[in-house]
Amino acid sequence: MFVHRPDSMAARVVAAGLGVALAASPVAAMAETPHGTEGKPGESYGQTQLMVRADGTDLTTPEGENKELDQVRVTIPVKIDFVAKSDGELKGPGDGVVKFSNNSTMPVHVASAKVTSSEGTRITTAEEERAAEAKGEADVIHLGLTNSRGDAIDLGGYTGDGGALKEGAWDIARSPQQDGKKRETDSVNKLYLNKLGGRISGFGKLDPARETQVGQIHWTVRPGLAKAANGGGGA
Amino acid sequence: MLGVGWGMAALLGGWEDPLATEGSYEGLVRPEVTREGKGKVDSSSMEISCAAAMRVREGETTVEARLENPASNHVDQRVRIYTRERPDDILYQSGALAPGQTIETIELAHPLELGRHDAIVEFQGYERHRSLVSNQGELLGHDAFGASCAAEVPISCVAK
């Protein structure tokens, strides 16, 4: 059962970020919209910490250039807004919005993820969140996503020491575009994080009227394409 | 928490890195690549850029890191480096780099042991022009932008 707070009866509001910030009542005083955030005025934001890992021994630029001249250059989403509905559903940005963009001199792949919860919250699997909700526990959060290659992950399964991501499903190619502006709109060097959403079991210590970071996600990306489970190379 | 460490450093030390210069490594390997325009990274993202592999000589501390805050970013960045095996041993920490600034060579806090290490190059963004200033005009701090990101690159300590 979703745990309501007396002052959180209003409908959807606010953003919970990966790192999560929370919903607020539309009649409650809103914090000033932080610079650079998406969403409606008054929505707060969360944070996400992402890690890109490059392994120099695996560098194989198409032109076979000097590895020591290769540059890792990746655009990483560091803020993801979620909207928390009054029923506990968390909804992130629409598909095709949040993305990695590989502007490096080589392909890269996201090798692993690690999720940490902030004090007072607990990021869990969907199953664990449902159980917590059934017990009336508050501040338990489930978040999930599906990347543009179709791989769906439950971020609650990447807590603790984290875990490896599915090989071949998190590759990000290098853009062949020479022009920076064209590379920006190129699709081959992008990996989108879609179907961003989840649930919060209820608001207990977390104040839905205030933005609160409830965790972080650390991505590890390596240069080169991951080898598929069958031994083949990634696309 | 790493965020706390970044904040305290901003309060205690200077802001801009005195060694940062205008530049870009976008064309490093492909000279024909044009420079990206400013402000192209969306408002919820940040681009990070550094050498994909680093090397230092035994007993020395000079490293070509090619740290860059791409001009396409809308945030200042600070960078720090440590190894995976010793995350509490900060080998390097920069001052702030504005978009379009680079630091080509850095000095590690101490030499490394011979062999290959996994270096974590961590970037923290800061809102531009959003400083906390006292009534006396003293700079107290800067507003962090999102969480930090990092690139893990091999750093090899080679014999002289």
XYZ file of all heavy atoms in Angstrom, chain A residues 72-115:
322
model
N 39.435 10.136 -24.938
C 38.101 9.739 -24.503
C 37.259 10.998 -24.391
O 37.665 11.952 -23.735
C 38.145 9.033 -23.139
C 36.727 8.810 -22.611
C 38.877 7.711 -23.245
N 36.137 10.986 -25.055
C 35.265 12.153 -25.028
C 33.824 11.651 -25.071
O 33.348 11.214 -26.112
C 35.549 13.025 -26.247
C 35.645 14.510 -25.985
C 36.211 15.184 -27.223
N 36.379 16.603 -27.027
C 35.625 17.520 -27.595
N 34.655 17.154 -28.392
N 35.840 18.806 -27.379
N 33.152 11.697 -23.968
C 31.808 11.138 -23.883
C 30.879 12.128 -23.182
O 31.243 12.677 -22.141
C 31.796 9.796 -23.122
C 30.390 9.207 -23.111
C 32.776 8.814 -23.749
N 29.731 12.319 -23.750
C 28.700 13.123 -23.103
C 27.829 12.201 -22.270
O 27.353 11.185 -22.780
C 27.846 13.865 -24.136
O 28.692 14.727 -24.899
C 26.788 14.717 -23.445
N 27.654 12.550 -21.033
C 27.011 11.670 -20.067
C 25.865 12.414 -19.389
O 26.038 13.558 -18.978
C 28.034 11.223 -19.011
C 29.202 10.492 -19.690
C 27.386 10.347 -17.957
C 30.340 10.199 -18.757
N 24.725 11.779 -19.247
C 23.632 12.424 -18.514
C 23.940 12.476 -17.023
O 24.204 11.450 -16.406
C 22.423 11.528 -18.808
C 23.003 10.201 -19.153
C 24.348 10.462 -19.765
N 23.950 13.636 -16.445
C 24.274 13.779 -15.023
C 23.073 14.199 -14.193
O 23.138 14.249 -12.972
C 25.427 14.781 -14.798
C 26.710 14.256 -15.402
C 25.088 16.151 -15.370
N 21.994 14.518 -14.864
C 20.766 14.849 -14.155
C 19.618 14.199 -14.898
O 19.447 14.412 -16.088
C 20.522 16.360 -14.131
C 21.378 17.144 -13.193
C 20.923 18.599 -13.198
C 21.749 19.414 -12.236
N 21.312 20.832 -12.241
N 18.851 13.432 -14.191
C 17.676 12.827 -14.791
C 16.484 13.142 -13.887
O 16.476 12.785 -12.718
C 17.832 11.310 -14.960
C 19.070 10.997 -15.812
C 16.579 10.726 -15.613
C 19.325 9.518 -15.998
N 15.524 13.797 -14.439
C 14.344 14.184 -13.672
C 13.294 13.097 -13.692
O 13.004 12.503 -14.726
C 13.717 15.448 -14.272
C 14.592 16.669 -14.068
O 15.546 16.579 -13.294
O 14.287 17.695 -14.690
N 12.737 12.849 -12.545
C 11.599 11.946 -12.446
C 10.437 12.711 -11.826
O 10.625 13.557 -10.961
C 11.915 10.741 -11.552
C 12.808 9.722 -12.191
C 14.166 9.942 -12.303
C 12.288 8.540 -12.696
C 14.990 9.010 -12.898
C 13.109 7.594 -13.291
C 14.463 7.836 -13.393
N 9.278 12.386 -12.260
C 8.081 12.953 -11.666
C 7.419 11.876 -10.829
O 7.213 10.749 -11.288
C 7.096 13.440 -12.750
C 5.791 13.895 -12.124
C 7.724 14.557 -13.557
N 7.128 12.218 -9.591
C 6.479 11.270 -8.691
C 4.991 11.566 -8.623
O 4.577 12.656 -8.254
C 7.100 11.367 -7.306
N 4.213 10.597 -8.982
C 2.767 10.758 -8.888
C 2.299 10.453 -7.474
O 3.003 9.835 -6.685
C 2.065 9.844 -9.887
C 2.367 10.174 -11.347
C 1.554 9.285 -12.256
C 1.779 9.659 -13.714
N 0.980 8.799 -14.642
N 1.093 10.847 -7.220
C 0.579 10.679 -5.862
C 0.387 9.217 -5.502
O 0.321 8.862 -4.331
C -0.759 11.417 -5.699
O -1.682 10.960 -6.666
N 0.336 8.359 -6.527
C 0.177 6.935 -6.243
C 1.515 6.226 -6.096
O 1.569 5.012 -5.925
C -0.649 6.258 -7.326
C 0.046 6.277 -8.688
O 1.129 6.880 -8.804
O -0.501 5.684 -9.630
N 2.603 6.973 -6.193
C 3.911 6.392 -6.013
C 4.653 6.079 -7.294
O 5.829 5.706 -7.252
N 4.002 6.211 -8.420
C 4.692 5.945 -9.669
C 5.714 7.040 -9.954
O 5.456 8.223 -9.765
C 3.699 5.885 -10.836
C 4.358 5.602 -12.176
C 3.387 5.691 -13.347
O 2.186 5.869 -13.106
O 3.851 5.609 -14.503
N 6.869 6.623 -10.399
C 7.914 7.557 -10.801
C 8.056 7.469 -12.316
O 8.200 6.379 -12.871
C 9.249 7.217 -10.137
C 9.290 7.233 -8.621
C 10.672 6.809 -8.123
C 8.936 8.604 -8.078
N 8.037 8.610 -12.936
C 8.156 8.633 -14.392
C 9.278 9.560 -14.802
O 9.299 10.722 -14.401
C 6.840 9.076 -15.029
C 6.817 8.935 -16.531
C 5.435 9.214 -17.091
C 5.436 9.019 -18.607
N 4.105 9.299 -19.196
N 10.171 9.040 -15.622
C 11.297 9.835 -16.083
C 11.002 10.489 -17.419
O 9.876 10.445 -17.922
N 12.023 11.071 -18.017
C 11.851 11.714 -19.319
C 11.398 10.709 -20.371
O 11.589 9.496 -20.225
C 13.250 12.249 -19.630
C 13.922 12.364 -18.306
C 13.364 11.251 -17.477
N 10.828 11.212 -21.431
C 10.375 10.356 -22.501
C 11.531 9.691 -23.225
O 12.707 10.003 -23.018
N 11.190 8.745 -24.066
C 12.208 8.047 -24.842
C 12.924 9.005 -25.789
O 12.349 9.969 -26.278
C 11.566 6.913 -25.639
C 11.018 5.817 -24.741
O 11.252 5.876 -23.508
O 10.364 4.897 -25.277
N 14.172 8.697 -26.025
C 14.933 9.501 -26.975
C 15.442 10.816 -26.419
O 15.833 11.704 -27.178
N 15.447 10.939 -25.119
C 15.895 12.204 -24.503
C 17.225 12.025 -23.775
O 18.194 12.735 -24.017
C 14.826 12.735 -23.530
C 15.337 13.961 -22.786
C 13.543 13.051 -24.291
N 17.255 11.087 -22.859
C 18.463 10.873 -22.057
C 19.401 9.949 -22.826
O 19.009 8.888 -23.289
C 18.091 10.246 -20.697
C 19.335 10.015 -19.860
C 17.113 11.157 -19.958
N 20.643 10.349 -22.922
C 21.535 9.544 -23.767
C 22.995 9.708 -23.405
O 23.411 10.697 -22.807
C 21.368 9.961 -25.224
C 21.786 11.404 -25.514
C 21.545 11.764 -26.959
C 22.016 13.190 -27.253
N 21.216 14.203 -26.554
N 23.761 8.699 -23.772
C 25.207 8.801 -23.850
C 25.519 9.223 -25.283
O 24.845 8.803 -26.227
C 25.881 7.447 -23.618
C 25.788 6.917 -22.229
C 24.710 6.141 -21.836
C 26.784 7.163 -21.318
C 24.630 5.627 -20.556
C 26.731 6.647 -20.035
C 25.643 5.873 -19.655
N 26.560 10.000 -25.446
C 27.011 10.355 -26.776
C 28.521 10.151 -26.820
O 29.263 10.766 -26.057
C 26.665 11.815 -27.094
O 27.129 12.157 -28.393
N 28.946 9.259 -27.696
C 30.366 8.940 -27.776
C 31.033 9.823 -28.820
O 30.848 9.648 -30.018
C 30.555 7.454 -28.133
C 32.012 7.096 -28.308
O 32.886 7.753 -27.731
N 32.292 6.079 -29.091
N 31.823 10.756 -28.362
C 32.565 11.638 -29.254
C 34.049 11.329 -29.218
O 34.883 12.171 -29.583
C 32.304 13.093 -28.840
C 30.819 13.395 -28.808
O 30.092 13.139 -29.763
N 30.346 13.920 -27.684
N 34.360 10.128 -28.785
C 35.757 9.704 -28.662
C 36.328 9.339 -30.027
O 35.615 9.298 -31.030
C 35.851 8.486 -27.739
O 35.214 8.708 -26.502
N 37.570 9.036 -30.035
C 38.229 8.607 -31.261
C 38.131 7.102 -31.449
O 38.775 6.537 -32.324
C 39.700 9.035 -31.256
O 40.309 8.547 -30.045
C 39.834 10.543 -31.295
N 37.337 6.475 -30.604
C 37.167 5.029 -30.716
C 35.766 4.668 -30.234
O 35.134 5.432 -29.513
C 38.234 4.303 -29.886
C 37.974 4.251 -28.379
S 38.002 5.847 -27.532
C 39.731 6.208 -27.596
N 35.271 3.483 -30.608
C 33.996 3.042 -30.030
C 34.173 2.791 -28.541
O 35.289 2.571 -28.065
C 33.699 1.723 -30.758
C 34.630 1.693 -31.915
C 35.827 2.502 -31.544
N 33.091 2.847 -27.817
C 33.126 2.512 -26.393
C 31.928 1.623 -26.082
O 31.024 1.473 -26.907
C 33.085 3.783 -25.497
C 34.279 4.689 -25.778
C 31.774 4.525 -25.673
N 31.929 1.036 -24.932
C 30.742 0.314 -24.475
C 30.594 0.509 -22.979
O 31.580 0.679 -22.263
C 30.805 -1.176 -24.832
C 31.845 -1.953 -24.093
N 33.169 -1.969 -24.482
C 31.770 -2.748 -22.992
C 33.845 -2.733 -23.643
N 33.035 -3.210 -22.734
N 29.379 0.515 -22.535
C 29.099 0.616 -21.111
C 29.244 -0.772 -20.528
O 28.496 -1.685 -20.884
C 27.688 1.179 -20.845
C 27.498 1.464 -19.361
C 27.452 2.433 -21.664
N 30.214 -0.931 -19.681
C 30.557 -2.277 -19.213
C 29.807 -2.677 -17.946
O 29.444 -3.844 -17.787
C 32.064 -2.374 -18.968
N 29.578 -1.740 -17.049
C 28.954 -2.101 -15.781
C 28.268 -0.897 -15.171
O 28.458 0.233 -15.613
C 29.991 -2.668 -14.809
O 30.954 -1.682 -14.500
N 27.482 -1.161 -14.182
C 26.777 -0.109 -13.458
C 26.830 -0.423 -11.971
O 26.855 -1.586 -11.570
C 25.325 -0.001 -13.926
N 26.839 0.640 -11.213
C 26.819 0.491 -9.760
C 25.925 1.583 -9.191
O 26.080 2.753 -9.535
C 28.232 0.613 -9.189
C 28.291 0.543 -7.673
C 29.722 0.689 -7.192
C 29.773 0.729 -5.676
N 31.173 0.899 -5.192
N 25.001 1.180 -8.349
C 24.034 2.119 -7.782
C 24.233 2.204 -6.274
O 24.376 1.190 -5.599
C 22.592 1.675 -8.102
C 21.585 2.582 -7.399
C 22.362 1.684 -9.606
